[in-house]
Amino acid sequence: MKWEVVIGLEVHVQLNTVSKIFSGASTAFGAEPNTQASLVELALPGVLPVLNKAVVEKAIRLGLALDATINQKNVFARKNYFYPDLPKGYQISQMELPIVEHGKLNILVGDEEKSIRVTRAHMEEDAGKSLHEDFHGMTGIDLNRAGTPLLEVVSEPDMRSAEEAVAYAKALHTLVTWLGICDGNMQEGSFRVDANVSVRPFGQAEFGTRREVKNLNSFRFLEQAIKYETQWQIETIEDGGKVQQATVLFDPDSGETRMMRSKEDAHDYRYFPDPDLLPVRISNEQIARVRSEMPELPAQMKARFVDAFGVTPYDAAVLTGSRALATYFESVATASGQGKLAANWLGGDVAARLNREGKDIAELPINAERLSGLLVRIADGTLSNKLAKQVFDAMWDSELSADVIIERDGLKQVSDVGAIEKMVEEVLAANPKAVEEFRAGKEKALNALAGQVMKASKGKANPAQVQEILKQKLA
Amino acid sequence: MSLSHQDVARIARLSRIAVTDAEIDAVSRQLNGILGLIEQMQAVDTDGIEPMAHPQDVSLRLREDVVTEPSRREACQAVAPQVENGLFLVPKVIE
């Protein structure tokens, strides 16, 4: 039987505020345990939550970027459960009236664009951390993370493969970092993904029973977990079993998912509006102001790159993978007037070198002005590709411009016909055997001769001209 | 609607409130009394009326995103039953 997988994602986006969602305690990562747990996070009697304005405005930002409805009246609710890293006994979240609803996010899978619906995004507080090891049978509690603001972004079950789910997660990751509302650091838990996965016979309208894979903190794990879970569900059904609704954990070491809790002991959260917090009201003016402060969005920038610089839609998608890369590309392409060349270099040599050194585009030692100086010299024929790479490497390790390095190291490409002719004649005279072979019909001999000329020129002769002149002389 | 003893026991467990077998009768009666009151209110026609999230018709005041709270770990942990390396210790919990 042919099966179809149905996936919906819930993503916890940690907002990059300096203080917590309901108190003035710091949100800095890596502090000594409990030094950033204020009386509000500790849930001491008599304290009251006061909402952080930046949380509301960052949520509006995302809502606008997802082309969603901003609920101008939205309400906080209590989600009740007992766990020691949540001293109040409830998490403040949003239930019936979230701040953002009915958005969409476009993804690119292969060459195909697909629109994924975003059901809602709501504001909530994070819990603290429980440490179960090494406390002689006790559990250690660190409440520094408690009260860190989160946006939980929930998609519709619109994805039909692990690849689509990863594309959606990556697009959302790009968007939240682009908007400057989240640092995007997945190792530190700033962007955590839960995947709801079910399977159904191909063509069937109703959904199968879903299992939720919790807390995937890398795109690779997301893909692995969905693929494993899909296979497991198909095999379970084909073996005559039934999928039970459950929450499962993904184990990166074994690549398997395992049950955390079944539906029977699923939590009953008994949500109700939080009486400590009044409804949040958002004015038209506030929305207009947030909109005016937003950067150009990746989708718009992508379309503009194709129009203005003639790059392919695929290259434009890669270049808008992060705001830093997009901004850098635009500066280089504008300054050099070489959009396609800039796209090729950023996707090729620059990306390769960054990769090799484990660096991010923001740490690129060559600024846009210097790189465009290099591209100009490639475009005007001063540098061959080979020489350009040599200049690029020298630029990486210095503060010098391409022109200064070309001058200093004598790397100008030789395009002077007279000079190349002279070298060709010398090579032909020195290699009578190769000349004979070529005349006898051995095409390969030409490459050997061209190689000799390039060597004689120390790699500086214009390769196309060398070929041309060789052919003329041998004709 | 009325709650069975079983319902009451479950709510008590979820709320971490100890209700003994001896008390469950009385607690059930009280809770059902409240539910009866709610039933009366639900008989009122509320079509077209927006549900109220808060009794006061005012909206939330927001605070600026600035750090105002210093660490008070020492004072807070001085009154905790057990601490170690800056952590609060609690009876072992593993889900």
Side-chain angles (χ1 to χ4, degrees):
Chain A
M1 189 187 287
K2 206 164 175 267
W3 295 90
E4 180 176 59
V5 61
V6 175
I7 305 155
L9 297 186
E10 291 171 19
V11 181
H12 284 93
V13 175
Q14 186 179 308
L15 298 176
N16 56 353
T17 56
V18 299
S19 68
K20 297 205 171 161
I21 182 170
F22 297 121
S23 86
S26 168
T27 54
F29 183 82
E32 282 291 304
N34 292 308
T35 52
Q36 292 170 181
S38 78
L39 304 187
V40 171
E41 287 83 50
L42 288 167
L44 261 62
V47 298
L48 282 172
V50 188
L51 182 61
N52 185 338
K53 185 167 133 196
V55 173
V56 175
E57 299 205 339
K58 283 168 198 275
I60 296 173
R61 254 183 192 232
L62 182 66
L64 293 174
L66 293 172
D67 205 10
T69 306
I70 309 294
N71 285 327
Q72 291 184 258
K73 177 188 167 194
N74 58 87
V75 172
F76 281 101
R78 291 185 180 183
K79 176 179 177 178
N80 297 282
Y81 67 93
F82 283 96
Y83 208 71
D85 57 24
L86 184 76
K88 289 194 304 301
Y90 58 87
Q91 178 192 29
I92 305 178
S93 181
Q94 297 193 300
M95 184 61 187
E96 277 167 13
L97 277 172
I99 186 163
V100 170
E101 275 185 297
H102 315 304
K104 62 177 178 355
L105 184 59
N106 288 344
I107 59 169
L108 197 63
V109 181
D111 288 334
E112 221 160 302
E113 193 157 81
K114 185 172 174 177
S115 185
I116 305 296
R117 290 170 299 162
V118 175
T119 319
R120 57 187 276 146
H122 64 254
M123 302 178 281
E124 63 182 26
E125 58 179 342
D126 207 346
K129 270 186 183 154
S130 303
L131 301 144
H132 299 292
E133 313 83 23
D134 296 335
F135 299 104
H136 28 84
M138 307 279 282
T139 292
I141 303 292
D142 176 9
L143 295 171
N144 280 351
R145 198 183 62 184
T148 300
L150 303 175
L151 265 185
E152 183 174 335
V153 185
V154 183
S155 85
E156 290 289 317
D158 282 352
M159 288 150 276
R160 295 292 176 270
S161 68
E163 289 74 21
E164 286 186 12
V166 170
Y168 168 83
K170 282 187 173 169
L172 184 61
H173 185 267
T174 296
L175 189 61
V176 295
T177 50
W178 190 287
L179 292 170
I181 65 173
C182 170
D183 69 17
N185 190 326
M186 295 179 81
Q187 280 93 43
E188 291 176 8
S190 299
F191 189 92
R192 315 194 282 266
V193 184
D194 301 341
N196 283 300
V197 181
S198 66
V199 298
R200 62 180 170 187
F202 205 86
Q204 179 182 301
E206 57 278 16
F207 294 135
T209 305
R210 66 163 196 265
R211 303 214 307 168
E212 182 180 16
V213 191
K214 279 273 185 201
N215 254 333
L216 299 157
N217 65 355
S218 84
F219 297 122
R220 195 163 53 89
F221 292 164
L222 173 64
E223 180 166 2
Q224 283 177 3
I226 291 173
K227 285 189 167 157
Y228 178 86
E229 183 61 25
T230 306
Q231 203 50 41
W232 183 88
Q233 291 188 15
I234 291 171
E235 279 167 19
T236 300
I237 298 170
E238 285 184 342
D239 290 349
K242 250 186 147 179
V243 175
Q244 304 285 339
Q245 193 174 326
T247 305
V248 300
L249 281 178
F250 175 69
D251 179 357
D253 294 327
S254 66
E256 295 176 1
T257 55
R258 65 186 159 80
M259 177 112 93
M260 201 168 114
R261 55 174 181 261
S262 70
K263 197 194 172 188
E264 285 78 66
D265 42 52
H267 288 125
D268 176 354
Y269 293 121
R270 295 154 295 138
Y271 280 95
F272 65 89
D274 191 333
D276 284 347
L277 289 153
L278 294 158
V280 182
R281 286 185 207 271
I282 298 165
S283 67
N284 291 331
E285 291 70 36
Q286 193 175 13
I287 294 176
R289 182 173 50 73
V290 173
R291 194 191 290 278
S292 73
E293 291 164 359
M294 278 169 55
E296 185 182 14
L297 297 175
Q300 295 156 3
M301 218 165 185
K302 201 175 101 189
R304 199 161 55 75
F305 284 178
V306 174
D307 282 351
F309 300 115
V311 301
T312 63
Y314 175 82
D315 281 345
V318 173
L319 292 166
T320 50
S322 81
R323 197 163 146 199
L325 179 60
T327 311
Y328 186 84
F329 164 75
E330 183 162 26
S331 310
V332 174
T334 308
S336 66
Q338 301 293 329
K340 279 183 157 172
L341 196 56
N344 290 344
W345 270 78
L346 285 177
D349 289 86
V350 176
R353 181 82 190 248
L354 284 172
N355 231 340
R356 202 160 67 236
E357 306 204 354
K359 280 188 173 151
D360 185 78
I361 183 79
E363 301 163 287
L364 183 66
I366 303 173
N367 65 25
E369 191 193 336
R370 285 207 296 149
L371 190 70
S372 64
L374 175 67
L375 300 191
V376 166
R377 291 294 164 250
I378 299 169
D380 71 10
T382 307
L383 293 173
S384 65
N385 268 331
K386 200 174 153 211
L387 290 173
K389 282 176 210 253
Q390 212 174 315
V391 175
F392 174 74
D393 284 335
M395 287 171 80
W396 190 285
D397 300 317
S398 73
E399 300 277 311
L400 303 174
S401 72
D403 283 348
V404 169
I405 292 167
I406 293 167
E407 197 60 42
R408 183 192 69 187
D409 298 348
L411 294 175
K412 245 185 200 132
Q413 173 168 264
V414 177
S415 298
D416 171 26
V417 178
I420 296 176
E421 274 184 339
K422 195 164 161 266
M423 284 187 277
V424 167
E425 277 160 17
E426 282 168 13
V427 167
L428 292 182
N431 295 279
K433 219 180 130 199
V435 173
E436 216 171 286
E437 279 173 4
F438 177 73
R439 292 211 163 111
K442 205 171 157 194
E443 287 285 329
K444 265 193 184 163
L446 186 72
N447 290 334
L449 289 165
Q452 289 293 324
V453 179
M454 290 305 292
K455 203 173 150 193
S457 77
K458 299 195 177 69
K460 284 185 272 179
N462 180 325
Q465 273 181 320
V466 168
Q467 287 274 344
E468 200 182 312
I469 291 169
L470 260 176
K471 281 180 187 160
Q472 276 171 20
K473 298 269 169 200
L474 288 167
Chain B
M1 187 191 157
S2 104
L3 296 172
S4 67
H5 282 189
Q6 216 180 345
D7 294 330
V8 173
R10 181 165 169 277
I11 295 165
R13 184 164 43 79
L14 284 170
S15 315
R16 302 294 191 278
I17 294 172
V19 178
T20 63
D21 289 346
E23 293 165 323
I24 209 152
D25 234 4
V27 173
S28 299
R29 233 182 356 257
Q30 286 164 7
L31 282 176
N32 281 323
I34 294 167
L35 286 174
L37 194 65
I38 290 169
E39 239 160 67
Q40 277 182 39
M41 292 194 276
Q42 274 177 336
V44 179
D45 180 8
T46 55
D47 272 3
I49 297 174
E50 196 190 341
M52 188 172 67
H54 200 277
Q56 281 170 289
D57 189 26
V58 281
S59 44
L60 193 59
R61 283 187 56 179
L62 308 180
R63 41 170 274 272
E64 294 299 320
D65 181 27
V66 285
V67 176
T68 53
E69 291 288 326
S71 169
R72 292 202 229 175
R73 183 171 80 175
E74 216 170 300
C76 292
Q77 297 203 329
V79 293
Q82 216 176 334
V83 292
E84 191 173 311
N85 299 333
L87 299 164
F88 293 98
L89 294 192
V90 299
K92 186 138 195 149
V93 274
I94 287 253
E95 213 168 75

